Amino acid sequence: MSVLVQQQAVECNFAENDSWIILSAIEQSIKRKIEAVGTPLKDWDIRINYGIKTGFNEAFVITTDKRNEILANCQTEDERTRTAELIRPILRGRDIKRYAYNWAGLYLIATFPSRHYDIEMYPAVKQYLLTFGIEKLEQTGKTYIVNGEKIKARKKTNNKWFEIQDSISYWEDFSKPKIVWGNLNLTPNYALVENNSFINAPSSMIVPASKYLLAILNSKIADFYIKLLGVTRNGGYFEYKPMFIEQLPIPQLKIENKELAQIERLIDNNNYTEIEYIVYNLYGLTQDEINYINSL
């Protein structure tokens, strides 16, 4: 065995039934510490779900101007109120940044099949959706509805023509504070959304949300661990799927924990650099391990 191999060799233990990865000595040490002090997110009292699939974004995701036009076409104040409640803000993955988001002024016509909406109660919305006719079908190759009838199956469901694709059971979670993130990113970009905005798939969300979870997810050490679970694509992009996020071990702090209050205060003051070192301390990293994570 060469001197180089003897100097650089690292002993790895591979459990028989577990997936495995070859890591350096310092990477193994960091990984062990993360797993020793944290509880996987999937074992927390939270829900992780994908955003909305409309099956037809061109019709169901609209601009602010189009929303205003639909509301202006309502014939009564009651119809206008019902319609305004149906049309809700939506965020795309590209709108979500680290600790923040930039809403692009887009709205979702939220006709969930599970809500059993009567389109006749929303005549201005019906009038708008009926503008997507057979002429556009020929131009785009997509499937559209004419006069309330299916030309052909717009999506692989039995939904009514005016309903979006997703028939989800967790639609109420979108009205709650949630941690959201885009699917494909170079670095972790998680944000807290406290209003009733929807997010589009394949973006994902965590409910209930907390500033503590937000800080951990946005940390460099969390990203180090999550990226051990998947493959980075060309250009350094990583697909932040729920199946990876839910495996992240996170320390469960009691409500009176001083670090918990400190993290919340630092987020409110936009002091994200100091949060990193608090998180390092929670996982018990040495200075050499901190330097290694910071060098990635």
Side-chain angles (χ1 to χ4, degrees):
M1 186 180 295
S2 70
V3 174
L4 178 62
V5 172
Q6 292 179 17
Q7 291 175 342
Q8 301 297 323
V10 176
E11 182 178 347
C12 298
N13 294 319
F14 300 125
E16 183 177 345
N17 296 322
D18 294 338
S19 60
W20 54 270
I21 183 172
I22 298 175
L23 303 174
S24 67
I26 194 168
E27 289 171 333
Q28 287 188 51
S29 175
I30 296 170
K31 182 174 182 289
R32 283 195 297 267
K33 288 183 177 181
I34 293 172
E35 293 172 343
V37 302
T39 300
L41 201 51
K42 64 182 179 181
D43 296 327
W44 286 54
D45 186 18
I46 61 166
R47 296 177 297 282
I48 304 179
N49 285 304
Y50 282 107
I52 301 301
K53 297 177 184 177
T54 70
F56 189 10
N57 284 351
E58 185 176 349
F60 290 99
V61 178
I62 61 176
T63 64
T64 299
D65 287 345
K66 181 57 68 174
R67 171 185 179 270
N68 293 340
E69 178 184 320
I70 292 172
L71 294 179
N73 287 334
C74 293
Q75 299 302 305
T76 66
E77 190 59 34
D78 284 345
E79 181 195 346
R80 180 182 174 87
T81 299
R82 289 195 303 272
T83 303
E85 291 173 351
L86 183 70
I87 303 175
R88 297 247 301 266
I90 187 168
L91 293 168
R92 305 163 298 176
R94 74 189 76 170
D95 303 327
I96 303 169
K97 313 301 178 183
R98 188 170 183 260
Y99 287 108
Y101 59 91
N102 298 323
W103 179 52
L106 297 178
Y107 289 85
L108 172 71
I109 299 177
T111 49
F112 288 102
S114 57
R115 295 290 289 157
H116 306 294
Y117 287 105
D118 179 0
I119 194 62
E120 301 304 329
M121 298 291 291
Y122 305 89
V125 172
K126 179 181 178 180
Q127 177 186 352
Y128 159 71
L129 291 176
L130 288 176
T131 63
F132 293 88
I134 195 167
E135 297 81 12
K136 289 188 177 181
L137 174 66
E138 295 172 349
Q139 294 171 14
T140 66
K142 295 182 179 179
T143 304
Y144 294 82
I145 307 301
V146 177
N147 296 326
E149 299 295 332
K150 294 182 180 179
I151 298 173
K152 60 181 179 179
R154 171 167 56 85
K155 46 198 180 301
K156 295 180 180 179
T157 69
N158 292 320
N159 296 353
K160 297 177 181 178
W161 67 269
F162 56 85
E163 294 173 336
I164 64 174
Q165 178 172 332
D166 269 346
S167 184
I168 58 175
S169 60
Y170 54 89
W171 63 272
E172 289 182 331
D173 281 353
F174 290 98
S175 297
K176 302 173 183 177
K178 48 200 168 286
I179 294 174
V180 302
W181 66 95
N183 181 60
L184 200 64
N185 282 304
L186 291 169
T187 57
N189 285 317
Y190 302 86
L192 177 62
V193 178
E194 297 186 280
N195 61 24
N196 65 349
S197 294
F198 288 104
I199 58 170
N200 74 333
S203 301
S204 303
M205 67 177 185
I206 292 174
V207 176
S210 73
K211 292 180 180 178
Y212 172 63
L213 284 182
L214 179 67
I216 298 294
L217 288 167
N218 273 318
S219 69
K220 293 180 180 178
I221 187 172
D223 205 46
F224 161 80
Y225 188 89
I226 289 170
K227 285 181 176 176
L228 297 179
L229 306 174
V231 177
T232 301
R233 297 184 177 183
N234 290 339
Y237 285 91
F238 186 81
E239 196 168 3
Y240 289 83
K241 295 181 178 181
M243 63 181 289
F244 301 142
I245 307 303
E246 69 178 10
Q247 296 184 55
L248 174 66
I250 297 180
Q252 291 186 305
L253 303 184
K254 295 182 178 179
I255 192 69
E256 65 272 14
N257 190 287
K258 63 179 182 180
E259 283 89 355
L260 190 62
Q262 189 175 6
I263 285 173
E264 292 181 350
R265 184 171 62 253
L266 290 171
I267 288 179
D268 291 340
N269 294 327
N270 301 322
N271 190 341
Y272 307 128
T273 301
E274 191 172 342
I275 290 174
E276 291 283 359
Y277 287 92
I278 295 175
V279 175
Y280 287 145
N281 183 64
L282 289 174
Y283 284 103
L285 267 60
T286 65
Q287 188 59 53
D288 285 344
E289 291 166 340
I290 292 173
N291 293 339
Y292 177 80
I293 293 291
N294 286 340
S295 71
L296 298 176

